[in-house]
Amino acid sequence: MQFSPEVLIVLGPLIAAAFAGLLQRYIGDRIAMILTTASVGLSLALSWPIFVDFVWGEGHERIIELMPFIHVGDFQSTWSVRIDALSAIMLVVVNTVSFLVHLYSWGYMSEAPHKARFFSYLSFFTFSMLALVTANDFLQLFFGWEGVGVASYLLIGFWFQKRSANDAAIKAFVTNRVGDFGFALGIMAAFFCYGSIQFDAVFEAAHANPGLLLGVGEVQFNAIEVICFLLFIGAMGKSAQFFLHVWLPDAMEGPTPVSALIHAATMVTAGVFMVCRAGELYEMAPLASGFVTIIGATTALFAATVGLAQNDIKRVVAYSTCSQLGYMFFAAGVGAYNAAMFHLFTHAFFKALLFLGAGSVIHGLHHEQDMRYMGGVRKPMPITWAMMTIGTFALIGFGIPGLGGFAGFYSKDAIIEAAYGSHGIGAQFAFWCGIGAALLTSFYSWRLAFMTFEGKFRPNPDAHHHDDHAHADDHGHTAHDDHGHGHGHAAPKDGSAPAHESPWVMLIPLFVLAFGAIFAGFIFYPYFLGHHAGEFWDHVIPFHEGHHDFPAWVLWAPLIVTVTGFIFAVLFYLWKPGAAKAMAKGPVWSFLYNKWFFDELYDFIFVKGARAVGDLFWKFGDKRLIDGLGPDGVAATSNFFSRQVRRLQTGFVYHYSFIMLIAAVAFGAYAILAGIGGGR
């Protein structure tokens, strides 16, 4: 094993997670928290110089081999750490968000039991992501992929006493397994076709034989198209794309720091990273790329429509994650891999900011997270309000073409422009979905801001009563979960909320993330998308020079729809708040509130459908057919004849004598007839 700082970046969180998890009884919560936070902080400190070296220095690609993983015949997989511009971006994204989440959790989880276990899960999650983004072959990527899945299951279901948390964890686990099955098939297909699973070897072999066919019998398909399609099925599950998106909103059942960790920069972006890493293949697969484009664009618009009608503050932000991931995918689908990665990079800052800001609101309001029972929060929580306002401007991509704006402006506008300028399958569809999603994103983002911070406080009428979300741990202490009930604090007479500002250990991460939400786009635009992009992305991902001659309306359309969404939000939630209540009725609102009824549809098709098929095989196939003709049938036949024979056992001697006489006559008759026949 070669030891280097890059190795420590990856293995440090794993070692800390093992110590915190396995030795928690001996070292206690505080030591476990210090150990895990420090290990991720060290990984962060070592990651930024690597990234800076690629941006402003002369960073060079390198592969550090740790140890053999699986060597069986021609199947060769070595656990390696691959460092290039793509992995350097992911290192700073994962470690920055993870470290800030660790630090934030010191305050947010201060009243919670089992803190050592919680921090151990966070560090294991971080390690899995780091193993994924530094992979040099598909198998190691799959190893980190599954590790993230396990960690997310543990974190989403951390409040395991709650039925809803357990259900959400299982839902996430099962849904991701559907996608992972396709992902595994894609890896197998790559090895079958090209004899390797190492990225560079697969890419080289694919370029050497672009017309290779793969199929069964007479049905043949282009091998690259099949591989790319199967790989994207995995990305659909991990990154919660349309059809496999249903797990992501339910992941809100985990503590708020978990929501930020999963949504901001880690698990859900793994699919985007994978598609960009395999960009050399997708460049040769126009049909698969078109599928990526259409699914991404559909997800962007679909999630934005659902976000309009949600009342849970974290679910609104969660659906914005789905929507923004859709932007990233259709950017990759049209070949703008650099724009996809840039949006992933900027999104990490403002999405983590919004989630942690939402957690600060929940903490300050004594665990209330229904926006209908908020309002008037700006005055008692001015810092949280300011930070979430910055995050909102970054999320909606506010900026003026030619002048600049917040981080999301640079990356999202670049994606929309790339879709307009592309001639690929579904590109124009993606462009208009992107414009529509931008309008809706602005509306529901300002809806969240106004319902939460403005107006007068609206108390929850059930605040004095325990509900199904409050729970107790094994020791009888009330757990510090996100869904607890209010504490009945009286609202001030000025109409502001009975809230309190969060402690500084929770606010400091907000300041850091706010800085990124404001300046990350401006600082790094030249290297991701601008004049230095060619040098930055050299031989890492397919890079195409962007168009610069777009019509003026294309450049200004995102700003126009963003301002339009803001105006409508002001109208419905500030000027005429009664209009919003009037809109929250009818079939359209019900359709959006119930998330297009996907949960009900999947329950009917897959859950009840599987149960019906199981009942058919059980009641008819197993019980009636197999058991009826098999053991049950044989037993019934034997029982029938046994009953008939039993009737002959009367106990009377004359009955037995009569039967013996009949038998003798029958035997004699047979002997005579047989003898006559033999004489002939």
Side-chain angles (χ1 to χ4, degrees):
M1 177 185 296
Q2 302 179 31
F3 183 82
S4 65
E6 293 85 353
V7 177
L8 188 58
I9 291 174
V10 177
L11 296 183
L14 174 64
I15 296 172
F19 272 94
L22 300 176
L23 303 178
Q24 55 182 295
R25 294 185 178 181
Y26 306 100
I27 63 178
D29 288 342
R30 192 167 187 83
I31 299 298
M33 294 162 64
I34 293 174
L35 185 62
T36 53
T37 305
S39 68
V40 177
L42 179 60
S43 295
L44 173 62
L46 295 173
S47 297
W48 271 99
I50 296 174
F51 176 68
V52 170
D53 192 36
F54 277 98
V55 173
W56 290 298
E58 298 181 354
H60 61 280
E61 179 180 335
R62 52 197 182 273
I63 299 173
I64 303 155
E65 294 187 356
L66 300 183
M67 63 184 70
F69 190 27
I70 298 178
H71 287 186
V72 180
D74 295 333
F75 189 91
Q76 304 288 318
S77 178
T78 300
W79 190 6
S80 305
V81 176
R82 182 186 183 112
I83 301 297
D84 55 21
L86 192 63
S87 60
I89 294 169
M90 296 303 297
L91 286 178
V92 297
V93 167
V94 172
N95 284 316
T96 299
V97 174
S98 182
F99 175 72
L100 294 175
V101 166
H102 276 73
L103 187 64
Y104 181 92
S105 298
W106 277 68
Y108 194 88
M109 301 294 288
S110 60
E111 302 174 17
H114 315 301
K115 287 188 282 290
R117 177 165 61 88
F118 178 77
F119 277 79
S120 175
Y121 293 167
L122 290 182
S123 288
F124 177 67
F125 189 105
T126 306
F127 157 73
S128 299
M129 272 304 301
L130 294 173
L132 188 158
V133 301
T134 57
N136 190 44
D137 61 47
F138 283 108
L139 185 61
Q140 184 185 334
L141 192 151
F142 189 75
F143 169 80
W145 195 274
E146 294 302 301
V148 170
V150 172
S152 66
Y153 170 80
L154 296 172
L155 287 168
I156 295 170
F158 182 75
W159 301 124
F160 57 85
Q161 299 91 344
K162 290 195 307 180
R163 173 68 181 272
S164 57
N166 282 319
D167 290 345
I170 294 172
K171 189 176 184 179
F173 192 83
V174 172
T175 306
N176 274 272
R177 297 295 75 73
V178 175
D180 293 351
F181 181 69
F183 190 37
L185 290 177
I187 297 173
M188 297 176 191
F191 179 75
F192 178 78
C193 293
Y194 305 121
S196 177
I197 58 171
Q198 292 187 347
F199 296 138
D200 293 338
V202 171
F203 301 158
E204 183 179 352
H207 279 286
N209 192 3
L212 181 66
L213 298 179
L214 180 66
V216 179
E218 297 181 357
V219 182
Q220 302 288 318
F221 301 95
N222 182 275
I224 301 176
E225 294 279 9
V226 173
I227 293 170
C228 289
F229 177 79
L230 291 172
L231 292 177
F232 182 64
I233 297 297
M236 288 176 63
K238 194 67 69 182
S239 298
Q241 292 300 283
F242 196 62
F243 294 122
L244 294 180
H245 66 278
V246 292
W247 69 270
L248 190 60
D250 289 356
M252 298 302 98
E253 291 294 336
T256 294
V258 173
S259 304
L261 191 63
I262 291 177
H263 289 72
T266 49
M267 179 175 172
V268 294
T269 61
V272 180
F273 167 81
M274 186 273 294
V275 171
C276 292
R277 174 64 81 189
E280 294 286 348
L281 296 178
Y282 282 93
E283 285 289 284
M284 297 182 286
L287 295 179
S289 295
F291 182 70
V292 173
T293 302
I294 293 171
I295 291 294
T298 304
T299 304
L301 187 60
F302 155 75
T305 63
V306 177
L308 297 173
Q310 302 306 303
N311 296 316
D312 186 300
I313 188 172
K314 290 205 307 179
R315 285 184 180 267
V316 176
V317 184
Y319 275 105
S320 80
T321 299
C322 277
S323 185
Q324 299 306 307
L325 287 167
Y327 278 98
M328 300 176 203
F329 274 113
F330 80 68
V334 301
Y337 305 99
N338 55 333
M341 290 303 302
F342 193 33
H343 198 51
L344 186 156
F345 180 78
T346 60
H347 176 263
F349 292 100
F350 59 75
K351 186 50 55 71
L353 175 61
L354 288 171
F355 264 113
L356 297 186
S360 180
V361 171
I362 295 169
H363 184 272
L365 284 173
H366 315 288
H367 318 302
E368 179 62 72
Q369 60 189 62
D370 193 323
M371 296 186 302
R372 293 173 297 179
Y373 309 123
M374 296 182 182
V377 176
R378 175 164 56 93
K379 186 175 181 180
M381 303 184 70
I383 298 176
T384 299
W385 166 77
M387 297 299 101
M388 288 202 69
T389 301
I390 292 173
T392 300
F393 274 111
L395 172 63
I396 67 175
F398 180 78
I400 299 176
L403 294 179
F406 289 79
F409 161 75
Y410 293 91
S411 54
K412 188 160 70 174
D413 279 31
I415 291 174
I416 293 174
E417 293 165 9
Y420 179 83
S422 173
H423 300 288
I425 299 173
Q428 296 308 305
F429 171 74
F431 170 76
W432 289 110
C433 284
I435 294 295
L439 170 65
L440 300 180
T441 299
S442 179
F443 179 82
Y444 71 66
S445 296
W446 289 114
R447 171 180 178 264
L448 182 152
F450 296 153
M451 289 183 67
T452 302
F453 295 103
E454 306 301 329
K456 293 184 178 181
F457 177 65
R458 304 174 297 275
N460 187 343
D462 299 323
H464 296 280
H465 305 283
H466 290 273
D467 58 27
D468 296 335
H469 299 294
H471 64 275
D473 67 11
D474 298 334
H475 303 284
H477 302 292
T478 301
H480 182 81
D481 73 300
D482 295 345
H483 301 278
H485 61 283
H487 294 274
H489 294 258
K493 295 182 179 180
D494 62 356
S496 60
H500 58 83
E501 190 62 91
S502 298
W504 282 106
V505 72
M506 294 174 60
L507 294 177
I508 290 175
L510 301 185
F511 285 111
V512 177
L513 293 168
F515 181 86
I518 297 173
F519 298 109
F522 170 76
I523 295 174
F524 296 105
Y525 175 85
Y527 305 94
F528 281 82
L529 301 173
H531 300 295
H532 302 286
E535 302 172 6
F536 182 73
W537 295 112
D538 186 33
H539 304 299
V540 178
I541 59 173
F543 175 73
H544 308 284
E545 291 287 346
H547 299 270
H548 302 285
D549 55 348
F550 297 108
W553 71 269
V554 174
L555 301 176
W556 287 90
L559 177 62
I560 293 172
V561 297
T562 296
V563 174
T564 303
F566 171 77
I567 292 173
F568 274 101
V570 171
L571 175 64
F572 285 110
Y573 293 96
L574 292 184
W575 292 348
K576 296 183 178 180
K581 294 182 179 180
M583 285 195 335
K585 299 177 182 178
V588 175
W589 179 87
S590 179
F591 181 71
L592 299 179
Y593 180 77
N594 290 284
K595 302 160 287 187
W596 293 25
F597 293 99
F598 264 99
D599 285 338
E600 291 78 6
L601 180 64
Y602 284 7
D603 180 72
F604 177 77
I605 296 176
F606 298 112
V607 178
K608 294 181 179 177
R611 185 177 297 169
V613 172
D615 287 344
L616 176 65
F617 281 107
W618 169 44
K619 294 180 179 180
F620 178 78
D622 188 33
K623 295 188 69 175
R624 293 188 180 183
L625 192 61
I626 298 175
D627 288 347
L629 298 178
D632 290 348
V634 173
T637 303
S638 177
N639 189 40
F640 172 77
F641 284 107
S642 297
R643 289 197 303 268
Q644 303 309 314
V645 173
R646 189 170 63 246
R647 292 179 179 180
L648 300 177
Q649 304 294 327
T650 63
F652 295 106
V653 175
Y654 64 86
H655 283 172
Y656 298 147
S657 300
F658 182 70
I659 292 173
M660 292 173 64
L661 179 60
I662 293 176
V665 171
F667 181 76
Y670 174 77
I672 293 171
L673 293 173
I676 294 174
R680 292 181 181 178

